[in-house]
Amino acid sequence: MANFYDSQLKNKNYLSPIGFKFTLATKRKVDFFSNSASVPGLTLGTALQTTPLRNIDVPGDELLFDDFNLEFLVDEDLNNYMILHNWLKGLGFPESMQEFKDFTSLPSGDEDEKLQYVDGTLHILNSNYRDIAMVRFKDLFPTTLSSLEFNATDDDVNYFTAQATFKYSIYNMVDPSGKDL
């Protein structure tokens, strides 16, 4: 029989909604000053099992992942914004075949590893701002990036935020040592 105290929560602190940061694996120069991010939802499709009385839903064979949405503060040099801007432009509207080839191939010419996909990590932080979990996205690529709207009539300085939406192949949640949660 299990000890009653072993089954109780040991950490009674609540998870803070402000404790997170987002990084891209190959874009180490830029950490995103994230304002909001969400762990994407999952939807499991269902199949119908027919019976003489009533059709019954059973677990299906397709798991759908929601998009990863990120809102971030734009740094003064536009580094984080331009990384996404140029990434989208390289994927969707390069000005020449050479520009597309340069964007999608490593300088070594290794065609197996493509730069259009990047792994990313959403770090979930505790109250001491240390990693307690990480959401690791595989094969991220951006699909949208919001505009930057300048307005000289604003009374206060409101720093720019931008929103980006990403697609990815899968994500996993791991602890700081890299073990699956």
Side-chain angles (χ1 to χ4, degrees), residues 10 14 50 73 97 118 126 129-130 141 151 176 179:
K10 294 188 180 20
Y14 299 112
T50 58
L73 286 164
M97 287 303 291
V118 173
N126 66 11
Y129 296 102
R130 298 190 197 285
F141 64 95
N151 185 350
K179 292 185 341 190

Side-chain angles (χ1 to χ4, degrees), residues 64-172:
L64 302 173
F65 294 88
D66 291 347
D67 293 343
F68 173 57
N69 297 307
L70 177 71
E71 180 178 315
F72 60 95
L73 286 164
V74 178
D75 67 278
E76 188 174 54
D77 295 327
L78 294 171
N79 285 326
N80 54 8
Y81 187 85
M82 291 310 297
I83 289 241
L84 294 178
H85 177 275
N86 294 338
W87 190 0
L88 275 163
K89 187 177 173 192
L91 288 173
F93 197 70
E95 295 181 20
S96 68
M97 287 303 291
Q98 185 61 42
E99 183 180 356
F100 180 75
K101 185 176 179 183
D102 292 345
F103 180 75
T104 59
S105 301
L106 290 174
S108 65
D110 184 2
E111 293 294 326
D112 291 335
E113 190 167 352
K114 299 295 184 184
L115 297 180
Q116 66 259 38
Y117 303 111
V118 173
D119 292 347
T121 304
L122 178 64
H123 300 261
I124 300 172
L125 310 174
N126 66 11
S127 57
N128 294 324
Y129 296 102
R130 298 190 197 285
D131 286 343
I132 57 166
M134 293 172 282
V135 182
R136 291 195 175 148
F137 295 93
K138 181 153 179 57
D139 299 334
L140 271 172
F141 64 95
T143 57
T144 63
L145 178 63
S146 66
S147 62
L148 296 177
E149 298 183 25
F150 292 88
N151 185 350
T153 62
D154 281 347
D155 293 336
D156 291 330
V157 175
N158 295 314
Y159 296 104
F160 276 115
T161 60
Q163 294 82 32
T165 302
F166 296 88
K167 297 280 188 187
Y168 52 93
S169 59
I170 194 167
Y171 73 82
N172 294 304

